Amino acid sequence: MSTFRHAIEARDMDAVDALLAENVVFRSPVAFSPYPGKAITSAILRAVSEVFEDFVYVREIADPEGGHALIFEAKVDGLAITGCDFLTYDDDGKIVDFMVMVRPLRAAEALAREMGARFEAIQAQALSYLERRQQ
């Protein structure tokens, strides 16, 4: 089974999808409310993989309880950004909670702008995913 880090580094978004639980909750660094569900989480991750430039994980910290913190560096609209993906897994090894934190503020604001400009497409992709699953 691929790890989340390996899937992201390989830019294999289908492998990323396979690691998400249906009931995953995504906690964005630029939105107040969390996004529940695999469909919207997958769509957000696909969009952010296009927004981030020169993305690289620089450190991984494992929690004895089974969680992970993956520290990354990237660029957004030419601005350097540092962040951390906090992952919590269920008993089947699927991600059930995905929280992202980023800094500095100017880069976080650029990320918010870039993702905001794509949010209508993100919602449409999530809806399409749900419709395919119902067929």
Side-chain angles (χ1 to χ4, degrees):
M1 179 168 100
S2 175
T3 67
F4 180 80
R5 179 178 182 167
H6 293 134
I8 290 292
E9 288 174 339
R11 299 186 59 85
D12 184 349
M13 298 313 290
D14 291 336
V16 170
D17 287 350
L19 294 167
L20 299 174
E22 290 297 327
N23 63 336
V24 64
V25 175
F26 183 80
R27 301 173 197 283
S28 168
V30 297
F32 179 75
S33 297
Y35 296 99
K38 183 175 183 172
I40 192 69
T41 300
S42 174
I44 290 169
L45 293 175
R46 286 175 185 273
V48 82
S49 74
E50 297 170 3
V51 169
F52 282 147
E53 306 158 20
D54 303 326
F55 182 92
V56 62
Y57 282 118
V58 295
R59 187 166 179 212
E60 182 171 355
I61 304 166
D63 176 348
E65 301 291 317
H68 281 91
L70 299 164
I71 301 166
F72 63 85
E73 294 175 350
K75 290 183 183 166
V76 176
D77 198 23
L79 298 170
I81 191 166
T82 301
C84 191
D85 294 335
F86 295 94
L87 309 176
T88 303
Y89 300 88
D90 65 13
D91 292 338
D92 295 324
K94 301 283 186 176
I95 298 167
V96 292
D97 192 83
F98 191 126
M99 180 174 61
V100 182
M101 296 181 143
V102 296
R103 64 163 309 279
L105 180 58
R106 280 189 57 207
E109 290 169 339
L111 177 60
R113 276 192 311 275
E114 292 292 327
M115 292 300 289
R118 290 167 170 76
F119 204 71
E120 192 173 306
I122 290 169
Q123 289 176 311
Q125 185 178 0
L127 183 58
S128 174
Y129 173 87
L130 291 172
E131 289 170 349
R132 284 191 313 272
R133 295 222 35 200
Q134 290 177 350
Q135 294 176 354

